[in-house]
Each structure stands twice: as structure tokens, then as C-alpha cells.
Amino acid sequence: MTARVQGRTAFVAHARALPGLPSVRPFLKWAGGKSQLLEVIDRHFPPALKEGRVKNYFEPFLGGGSVFFHVARHYPIRSARLFDVNEELVLTYRVVQERVDELVEYLFDYSAKYLRCGPERREKMYRDMRSRFNQDRFNVNYARLADNWVPRAAQVIFLNKTCFNGLFRVNRSGEFNVPIGRYVKPAILDELNLRQASKALSIAEIRRGDFASIRSRAKSGDFVYYDPPYRPLSATSNFKSYSKIDFNDGEQGRLAGFFRELHAKGVMQMLSNSDPKNSDPKDDFFDRSYAHDEFTLRRVPATRMINSNAAKRGRINELLITNY
């Protein structure tokens, strides 16, 4: 009886700590985002999360954060630990978390200027911003929050909202190289959602690091959701690149080994990935990598949105792998 009362009290405290989040959603469009799969993912969350017994949530491939924002909206977690190897992404999340007022001011100015421009002036503003973004990266200390993080985060959001297909892509040198998109009224500033995202992130620790960074933090009874860079379905489908770090089959195998390691500690885990059987029915890479009596591999329908050719986007299967 005492444990139940404490659990209910924690739920109320959480609800009070994170008010006004009925519609919070990702503030960045991120290739591979899970917004369209949330209903299916939620259906396969561990019962302990749905019953309010999971207090600590981990997401070591943060990306657009759609699953985190969904969990923060619907479940009484007390803390979240969010990691990504992309330093620009981590910087932007930290600014939204801690300095959203200043960020809104920058984005208001960018939005007002851009929306007043015709196509040619928009193109120039975009190219100037992209050039400044690539030059300024040498003046940013990504290890410590500083005043110049705020305009940097505003650049990230501006480019994300105005570039082609909302992609974040860098070359081997770390230069952002996506061309301009052709949006008539891009939502460069969505103030309400940014403020809601800031509230949701108030319970989060946000750090740069790969998935192994959570090794000493994740304990029995915690829940981890992994959304790594997807294994390409073909030699021509490999998207280059979210960061300067390649996530090849060796890294996929390392992640599978880490999944087993945390399973042995009693950590609840869910992992998403592409299903190679979409293109090669004989490719059992993930079936072998996650072969375990207590692991469940599900193939769920999804919509592919990353392809630059709209005609090649469509329904495919993705994988959901769980250890509960």
C-alpha cells in the first residue's frame, strides 16, 4: 500500500513539474525521426513504463527527440538522460533547455527578415547563414554553455527549417552542405512549441557522447530507447551524414553487444532499425545480432521519408527489438 501511494505521489509531482505539454513535439526536423511510428512504439513500451514504475529514461541517439517528448508528455518519469554524438544537436537542445527566451529573440528576427524576402534574397540570406555557420564552428567551445551558443542554436534551427527537406548533413570536414528548400512559409519560429520543449527538457541531462556513455548510469528498472543511424537498405541508400562519425556494421554489432550487456543488468530496452529484408529477404543481420531467448524482434510497417526522390518514399518494414 505504501509503495502505491508513493508512486501516485510521484506522478502528481511530475505532472506539476511539467505543465502545459499537451502538444509538445520535436522542434527540429531530423532524418529518421519517429513521429510517424509513435503509436506503434508506444504500443510496445514496457508495461512498467505505462504503470508509472519507470522513473529514469535514457535515449542515447537523441536526434529529433520525438520519442522523448512523447514519453515526457504521457508518462511520469522523474529524469531523462539524453545523448548524441552530434555536437550541434546537443548544443541546440541545451540552449532550448536553459536559454529559450534569448533563442526566441534571435529566431523572431531571422523569421521576420526571411519571410519578407523574395526568392533571390532568401537564397542569399540562406547561403550567407550557411557560410557563417560553417565558419563559426571554429569559435565554439562545445564543452561548455556560453553566450555564443544561443546564436549558434538559432543558426541550427534556421537552417533546419529552410534547407532542403529539413536534412542535417555534413561532409567529412564537418561542413553543413544542404541546399536551400523551397518552402513558402517555413516555421522558423514556433515559440509555443519551443517553450513547451524547454519545460519537457527541464528533467533532462543532455550530453554529447555515444551510446556507451550510459553504461554506468543505466540501472535495473530503467528504460532505454535506442534509435541509431539506420543500417542502409542498399549500397545507394546510405545517407551521408548526421555527424562526422560513420555508424557501420561494426558499430551496429557493438551496439548489439551493449544491448546484451544492459540486459544482463536488468535494464529495459527498445531499439529501432531498418529491416534489411526489405531489399534482401536473405539478409538476417539483425536476426543474428539480437538472437536471444528473451529478445523480441518485431517487423512493423513504416513510411520512408528520407529519400530525396519523392517517388521512392513509401511503406516499408522497420524493426523494433525489445528485451522484455
Side-chain angles (χ1 to χ4, degrees), residues 274-300:
S274 59
D275 182 5
K277 292 183 181 292
N278 285 301
S279 55
D280 181 0
K282 296 182 180 180
D283 190 337
D284 61 351
F285 178 86
F286 289 111
D287 300 77
R288 289 182 287 105
S289 297
Y290 291 90
H292 190 289
D293 289 344
E294 296 184 55
F295 297 172
T296 301
L297 188 150
R298 299 177 177 88
R299 290 180 162 85
V300 299

Side-chain angles (χ1 to χ4, degrees), residues 307-318:
N307 202 301
S308 60
N309 184 344
K312 294 184 179 181
R313 302 173 193 162
R315 303 294 289 180
I316 59 172
N317 284 334
E318 292 194 5

Side-chain angles (χ1 to χ4, degrees), residues 180-289:
I180 191 172
R182 300 300 176 186
Y183 308 109
V184 177
K185 292 184 178 180
I188 296 168
L189 171 61
D190 185 344
E191 182 175 355
L192 175 60
N193 189 59
L194 282 173
R195 294 190 182 281
Q196 290 181 334
S198 184
K199 290 179 182 178
L201 292 167
S202 66
I203 63 168
E205 173 191 5
I206 307 168
R207 291 193 179 187
R208 184 185 178 197
D210 85 342
F211 60 86
S213 301
I214 72 171
R215 174 177 279 114
S216 63
R217 293 173 169 85
K219 309 297 183 183
S220 178
D222 293 342
F223 176 50
V224 181
Y225 172 69
Y226 306 89
D227 186 25
Y230 274 20
R231 187 171 184 258
L233 297 179
S234 68
T236 59
S237 67
N238 194 10
F239 177 73
K240 300 287 186 183
S241 175
Y242 308 112
S243 74
K244 294 172 282 188
I245 302 172
D246 286 334
F247 205 83
N248 54 27
D249 277 2
E251 289 296 286
Q252 297 284 1
R254 185 167 71 96
L255 176 57
F258 188 74
F259 193 97
R260 290 171 178 268
E261 179 182 336
L262 290 199
H263 173 71
K265 293 173 59 176
V267 178
M268 292 171 281
Q269 301 171 92
M270 173 187 282
L271 181 143
S272 303
N273 217 305
S274 59
D275 182 5
K277 292 183 181 292
N278 285 301
S279 55
D280 181 0
K282 296 182 180 180
D283 190 337
D284 61 351
F285 178 86
F286 289 111
D287 300 77
R288 289 182 287 105
S289 297

